[in-house]
Amino acid sequence: MASAVVNIATAALDWVAVAFDAPFAGAVVFGVHINGHLVAEVLLIAVLLFQLTRKSYKPPKKPLTEKEIDDLCEEWVPEPLHPPITKEMKVEPPTIESAAGPHTIIEGKEVVNFASANYLGLIGNENIIDSCVASLEKYGVGSCSSRVFYGTTNDHIDCETRIAKFMSTPDSILYSYGISAIFSVIPAFCKKGDIIVADEGVHWGVQNGLHLSRSTVVYFKHNDMASLESTLEKLTNKKAEKVRRYIVVEALYQNSGQIAPLNSIVRLKEKYHFRVILEESHSFGVLGNTGRGLTEHYGIPIEKIDIITAGMGNALATDGGFCTGSGRVVDHQRLNGSGYVFSASLPPYLANAAIAAVNYLEDNPSVLTVLRRNISLVWEVNCICLLDITCVHVFIIFRGSLF
Amino acid sequence: MVRLPYVTALTTLFSYGLLFAFGQLRDFFRKIIDWFKSTSKDLKGYAPICLGLEDFYTRRLYLRIQDCFSRPIASAPDAWFDVVERYSKDNNKTLHRTSKTSKCLNLGSYNYLGFAAADEYCTPRVIESLKKYSPSTCSIRVDGGTTDLHTELEFLVARFVGKPAAITFGMGYVTNSAIIPVLIGKGGLIISDSLNHNSIVNGARGSGAAVRVFQHNNAPHLEEVLREQIAEGQPRTHRPWKKIIVIVEGIYSMEGELCQLPEIIAVCKKYKVYTYLDEAHSIGAVGKSGKGVCELLGVDPADVDIMMGTFTKSFGSCGGYIAASKEIVQYLKHACPAQLYATSMSPPAVQQVISALKVILGEDGSSRGAQKLAQIRENSNFFRSELKKMGFEVLGDNDSPVMPIMLYNPAKIPAFSRDCLKQNVAVVTVAFPATPLLLARARICISAAHSREDLLKGLEVISKVGDLVGIKYFPAEPPKHGHQAHKKVD
């Protein structure tokens, strides 16, 4: 028995020795003789195959049981929907009892109104009210539909044409609410991956639009052209053909009352190939010799600004908003502007009021002279007190006629 | 639920495929032609406004059927209105108005209670308020934009809806987009129905909270999602959610279906989750006294945390409201951006809603309100049952004034729309992107201003056009029943 085992062992060893000594079993690797490398390699492969067939160690997955989920749901305590009500929150704004003109009535007393953005004094204008009355009798109040589905009346199209003619642009589009114009326009043109350079001091509507657009937003210091230039310089690395780039500024900032230096912005825009979106809610009907806004104020041809939006709830004393620009820009919004497609259209009487207001502005540019005179009066008289006044509306709100 | 037959699905896919192929071919030729023409110097260095296939749908599919949308009208959107005729010289790329109009039956406007045109009670009061307050207040709510009309409206809306307090806004879309971010922020969870409106989606995205979707109108699936989310907590950190809001709509405007409110409220109460109900289409239109889907389905308004609605549909005005507890409304008045930065609602529009509410509540001294509510319910149910009898595939529940008729195939959209217009019936057709690609439909909105003759005329035309276009997907009921219904009317 032992001899048989010894014989088998010897035979195996002989076989191994032959394998080691066989001519092909020797190898020279980097000048070092290695014998029997084939055997080693075969053994290695065998070990590898063995390991591969073993199951790898994974810690066992233990999903939550129904009872555990029930317990978690019972334990969970939500926060209340509203934070604790403070004394500040209980303060009610003053209720006015007449039209929000230069003089209005609060709690039976007549007061001078420095709060309404009634820049041209069109509240109470007879022509506008008469055209509204005619429209109300014809169309009722609401348009009861979206612009895409029978909510377009002849008045809407006429209003768009009138505004485009006034601004000397090819076309314009009406939105049913001032603030929805800007936060529909920005996401319609700026998608994920695009670059937007915006001023720090833009108002909530613009910020909301920037957030909804999902683009990369870079802010520059409020109304600081040096900061804008350095920001644009940093961002010109990407390829221009595939990435859309926009500068978003307001013409007259709602939060600070400052005016944007449009000539510098246009110069920078042309140098770095950015498009400009200009928010003119507070400057339309106010700046420029005939009220055509910031472009007229600086004498810049309107074709240089790609997209202009404005709310009509300020100088034009009506409601709603518009956006104007090239034909391509406006057509794109008719299917992609969410505030245009997914919302009811502007009530026809307000569109009529807008047409009447623009007609009045075009026929009476002298109202702007009175406005500017009133503004300079306030600056002269209150130059020291201005530091204490926190409400920005006082800087620029004066009606366009003597009081 | 929509049951899409296989043959229809295949033919619809084939049609879209064909349109896509033709569109690509035309784009290819356009590229070649443009390569020869040099681009203007002004646009060098600028990326085009639309890259690649972004506006492919607009250029190649939508422009072909552009005349079916944005049709201008020349009179109030009442039961019958004047549709302006348009012509095109360049194959539908641009449309021009003519001065000719055709009087058509209006089956497209949201005029549920018939307040769209000048009304004998509302219009004189609206004109009076216009002369007193002007078309606009030119101010934000907190800075001189709150008139006594606004305060009166808020009280009236709160009383009508059955909540302690209410707050109003100038536009329904802005109401959703501006309120949801104020109520919930980062660390919160919004669970919304899969077919919610774009304004809710925008509001949810703008809030910064996590958003999950549950299957349309499926309360068991909502429960499943809730259990999973509460147990998991926030993604990655697994901290518990700060709060959870479930957002549903009263009537879904593209399906015409009512929300399964009692079941959903039961689930939400069980898991201590807040509910937000958007009643844009249902307030004033359903329910015995027009108080919306809560009244119709027997849900106590106190069980819904926040009720939102719009004034555009049933009240013939514009704007939106939120009705909730006094504390929530006080907080919203203080913190909502639409109160702090947006122009307040136009005073004549406010007066229109006040007068309309008074008519509905019967406080104008007549029973017109009750008549209107009964009329719209009768009209909706009659129209829907007749359409179903004819073999159309009509979606939606009973009592809902919105009824979509399935078209599916893209070629049937313009065919149905144009043929109906030729026979003086104005309908609304909806396609991608408002609905899923394969499920194009025509959406009928019934009004209390429609008389029985109007409805019969509408049915006759739709039936004829339906035969021509081939959208009667179900077998029609034998004419004996239809004949009996006609006999009853006579």
Side-chain angles (χ1 to χ4, degrees):
Chain A
M1 199 52 205
S3 59
V5 172
V6 168
N7 281 340
I8 293 170
T10 330
L13 274 169
D14 284 339
W15 189 82
V16 166
V18 164
F20 266 85
D21 290 335
F24 60 85
V28 179
V29 178
F30 299 123
V32 179
H33 282 270
I34 298 177
N35 286 322
H37 74 104
L38 245 154
V39 174
E41 282 161 15
V42 168
L43 274 174
L44 199 57
I45 291 175
V47 167
L48 278 170
L49 286 172
F50 176 72
Q51 289 290 50
L52 279 171
T53 55
R54 302 295 97 200
K55 259 202 304 203
S56 57
Y57 174 71
K58 275 191 205 132
K61 259 194 189 161
K62 279 194 283 199
L64 295 169
T65 61
E66 288 301 315
K67 179 150 187 326
E68 281 169 337
I69 298 183
D70 281 335
D71 287 338
L72 281 167
C73 292
E74 262 194 57
E75 278 169 17
W76 178 66
V77 176
E79 275 180 15
L81 258 183
H82 60 89
I85 303 290
T86 60
K87 247 195 288 190
E88 261 180 5
M89 295 186 197
K90 292 199 186 153
V91 172
E92 295 278 327
T95 311
I96 64 175
E97 289 153 18
S98 71
H103 294 262
T104 185
I105 301 174
I106 296 184
E107 287 174 14
K109 277 192 305 192
E110 188 174 305
V111 295
V112 179
N113 184 357
F114 280 108
S116 303
N118 179 21
Y119 303 137
L120 300 177
L122 288 175
I123 287 187
N125 182 294
E126 289 297 323
N127 285 342
I128 296 183
I129 293 190
D130 287 337
S131 71
C132 285
V133 171
S135 177
L136 282 172
E137 282 168 351
K138 183 175 179 199
Y139 290 109
V141 174
S143 60
C144 295
S145 210
S146 156
R147 280 293 293 266
V148 189
F149 305 140
Y150 305 111
T152 311
T153 59
N154 277 330
D155 293 340
H156 289 108
I157 305 183
D158 290 338
C159 186
E160 287 175 354
T161 328
R162 185 72 186 87
I163 291 177
K165 186 159 151 243
F166 181 71
M167 297 292 285
S168 316
T169 49
D171 202 358
S172 71
I173 179 173
L174 266 186
Y175 283 92
S176 49
Y177 206 44
I179 213 172
S180 77
I182 187 63
F183 78 57
S184 302
V185 162
I186 297 182
F189 291 102
C190 313
K191 311 275 187 235
K192 198 165 180 173
D194 294 337
I195 298 178
I196 306 182
V197 175
D199 188 299
E200 258 176 4
V202 286
H203 65 77
W204 175 83
V206 182
Q207 286 169 9
N208 196 26
L210 293 172
H211 181 82
L212 287 171
S213 70
R214 300 208 242 205
S215 319
T216 328
V217 182
V218 183
Y219 289 101
F220 66 92
K221 288 213 193 76
H222 181 49
N223 234 7
D224 185 347
M225 290 300 109
S227 167
L228 174 60
E229 180 150 17
S230 61
T231 319
L232 292 176
E233 184 74 53
K234 272 189 247 165
L235 292 168
T236 38
N237 306 333
K238 305 252 175 90
K239 280 194 290 200
E241 295 87 58
K242 292 289 176 184
V243 175
R244 291 172 287 233
R245 294 168 313 174
Y246 290 91
I247 301 176
V248 176
V249 282
E250 280 179 57
L252 210 158
Y253 289 93
Q254 180 175 327
N255 291 334
S256 68
Q258 292 182 27
I259 297 180
L262 196 63
N263 44 5
S264 325
I265 294 177
V266 169
R267 184 181 46 86
L268 288 170
K269 153 208 155 145
E270 287 178 338
K271 182 172 169 197
Y272 293 99
H273 298 298
F274 273 64
R275 288 197 163 97
V276 172
I277 300 180
L278 187 62
E279 221 289 281
E280 289 224 64
S281 290
H282 289 273
S283 63
F284 181 76
V286 172
L287 294 179
N289 285 336
T290 53
R292 283 172 167 81
L294 197 63
T295 46
E296 194 186 17
H297 183 82
Y298 277 101
I300 294 174
I302 196 141
E303 297 78 35
K304 298 220 175 201
I305 309 295
D306 304 275
I307 304 171
I308 296 180
T309 67
M312 303 195 290
N314 302 315
L316 290 185
T318 170
D319 216 346
F322 67 86
C323 175
T324 183
S326 69
R328 185 88 178 81
V329 157
V330 170
D331 275 335
H332 180 80
Q333 287 172 64
R334 292 205 195 269
L335 264 194
N336 296 22
S338 42
Y340 181 83
V341 174
F342 292 109
S343 167
S345 62
L346 186 65
Y349 77 96
L350 288 172
N352 261 314
I355 298 176
V358 171
N359 284 341
Y360 175 86
L361 181 57
E362 198 157 30
D363 294 335
N364 302 308
S366 56
V367 69
L368 290 161
T369 332
V370 181
L371 175 64
R372 272 187 257 290
R373 193 175 62 208
N374 286 350
I375 294 174
S376 55
L377 194 69
V378 170
W379 275 102
E380 266 172 40
V381 172
N382 291 321
C383 51
I384 299 172
C385 307
L386 284 173
L387 293 167
D388 295 337
I389 296 170
T390 49
C391 174
V392 71
H393 288 106
V394 180
F395 295 139
I396 49 181
I397 293 172
F398 261 90
R399 74 183 177 111
S401 52
L402 288 171
F403 62 93
Chain B
M1 288 306 296
V2 176
R3 289 172 284 173
L4 181 58
Y6 279 124
V7 177
T8 319
L10 280 172
T11 48
T12 313
L13 273 170
F14 175 72
S15 306
Y16 274 112
L18 200 64
L19 284 166
F20 184 77
F22 266 104
Q24 291 284 47
L25 197 67
R26 291 174 80 166
D27 273 352
F28 175 68
F29 281 113
R30 170 60 46 188
K31 255 198 231 151
I32 295 182
I33 295 173
D34 277 347
W35 188 67
F36 284 118
K37 275 201 232 152
S38 58
T39 44
S40 66
K41 259 191 278 197
D42 294 334
L43 291 176
K44 228 183 188 160
Y46 290 89
I49 285 185
C50 289
L51 290 166
L53 289 182
E54 267 175 10
D55 64 341
F56 179 81
Y57 178 80
T58 315
R59 278 179 296 119
R60 299 301 173 204
L61 273 70
Y62 175 74
L63 281 183
R64 286 169 182 264
I65 56 173
Q66 212 196 149
D67 61 312
C68 301
F69 300 102
S70 303
R71 290 184 179 143
I73 62 179
S75 70
D78 205 4
W80 287 82
F81 62 174
D82 298 324
V83 177
V84 173
E85 287 172 19
R86 297 186 291 179
Y87 67 91
S88 172
K89 286 193 203 147
D90 51 5
N91 217 15
N92 259 2
K93 249 181 126 178
T94 48
L95 292 159
H96 304 276
R97 296 179 284 170
T98 60
S99 49
K100 284 202 302 181
T101 59
S102 48
K103 203 166 178 58
C104 298
L105 176 67
N106 184 359
L107 290 179
S109 296
Y110 306 130
N111 177 22
Y112 300 141
L113 292 180
F115 283 114
D119 183 79
E120 59 193 24
Y121 179 80
C122 301
T123 311
R125 286 168 177 73
V126 169
I127 294 182
E128 205 184 294
S129 75
L130 170 73
K131 293 191 175 139
K132 184 177 178 199
Y133 292 99
S134 276
S136 167
T137 56
C138 286
S139 341
I140 55 182
R141 278 297 293 267
V142 292
D143 266 349
T146 308
T147 60
D148 42 355
L149 280 182
H150 289 92
T151 332
E152 189 187 339
L153 175 63
E154 286 173 359
F155 276 128
L156 204 51
V157 164
R159 184 157 63 94
F160 183 71
V161 165
K163 289 295 249 183
I167 177 177
T168 53
F169 300 90
M171 183 185 176
Y173 189 97
V174 163
T175 312
N176 273 332
S177 318
I179 285 290
I180 298 179
V182 174
L183 291 171
I184 192 169
K186 210 153 179 259
L189 174 68
I190 296 177
I191 304 188
S192 92
D193 191 290
S194 56
L195 296 176
N196 269 342
H197 189 251
N198 185 273
S199 55
I200 298 177
V201 170
N202 264 354
R205 224 188 280 161
S207 67
V211 182
R212 300 279 179 272
V213 162
F214 73 95
Q215 274 171 23
H216 174 59
N217 246 353
N218 190 341
H221 187 245
L222 171 64
E223 182 163 8
E224 210 181 290
V225 170
L226 271 173
R227 285 170 69 82
E228 187 193 319
Q229 290 301 321
I230 298 179
E232 289 282 305
Q234 298 187 31
R236 290 175 59 234
T237 55
H238 293 291
R239 286 200 191 109
W241 294 107
K242 289 200 179 139
K243 50 184 128 164
I244 302 183
I245 300 187
V246 170
I247 306 184
V248 287
E249 288 187 33
I251 291 184
Y252 292 91
S253 59
M254 288 298 155
E255 276 71 35
E257 280 172 7
L258 293 165
C259 169
Q260 280 180 3
L261 202 56
E263 292 87 0
I264 292 180
I265 298 283
V267 167
C268 292
K269 271 178 140 173
K270 184 171 164 200
Y271 291 94
K272 294 173 277 185
V273 152
Y274 301 114
T275 38
Y276 183 107
L277 177 64
D278 177 341
E279 289 211 86
H281 285 266
S282 52
I283 191 73
V286 294
K288 198 150 154 274
S289 47
K291 299 202 172 150
V293 94
C294 285
E295 190 184 15
L296 185 69
L297 298 175
V299 171
D300 186 5
D303 287 339
V304 181
D305 295 290
I306 301 179
M307 295 174 69
M308 178 262 174
T310 60
F311 300 127
T312 332
K313 282 97 189 176
S314 309
F315 306 101
S317 176
C318 64
Y321 70 87
I322 296 264
S325 70
K326 274 208 166 66
E327 290 79 30
I328 296 181
V329 167
Q330 232 162 18
Y331 170 60
L332 289 176
K333 280 191 174 158
H334 172 83
C336 179
Q339 292 274 297
L340 303 173
Y341 302 113
T343 324
S344 68
M345 202 165 147
S346 167
V350 175
Q351 180 60 46
Q352 164 76 16
V353 183
I354 294 177
S355 311
L357 277 172
K358 292 218 166 106
V359 171
I360 296 175
L361 286 169
E363 285 168 15
D364 62 329
S366 74
S367 61
R368 280 173 66 220
Q371 272 171 13
K372 282 180 192 274
L373 288 162
Q375 183 78 24
I376 185 173
R377 202 176 329 130
E378 206 184 295
N379 284 356
S380 319
N381 290 337
F382 171 69
F383 207 81
R384 178 175 267 117
S385 60
E386 288 297 311
L387 281 177
K388 283 195 168 146
K389 279 187 208 151
M390 287 183 204
F392 288 103
E393 183 169 356
V394 183
L395 307 180
D397 298 328
N398 261 339
D399 282 348
S400 147
V402 178
M403 39 200 97
I405 303 177
M406 295 310 296
L407 296 172
Y408 299 119
N409 200 299
K412 299 186 182 178
I413 304 169
F416 187 76
S417 184
R418 289 169 190 158
D419 282 331
C420 279
L421 190 64
K422 267 191 228 149
Q423 307 201 32
N424 289 352
V425 169
V427 293
V428 154
T429 46
V430 205
F432 185 79
T435 60
L437 187 67
L438 298 181
L439 304 175
R441 59 202 72 177
R443 188 180 65 179
I444 310 277
C445 292
I446 298 294
S447 154
H450 287 133
S451 65
R452 193 47 84 97
E453 291 79 39
D454 298 334
L455 295 180
L456 288 171
K457 150 107 180 153
L459 283 166
E460 189 193 312
V461 168
I462 292 181
S463 182
K464 253 193 263 167
V465 176
D467 280 326
L468 202 66
V469 168
I471 49 176
K472 292 190 175 170
Y473 293 109
F474 295 148
E477 278 191 20
K480 183 171 62 165
H481 294 277
H483 205 50
Q484 268 179 1
H486 282 285
K487 270 203 181 140
K488 268 196 217 143
V489 165
D490 296 332

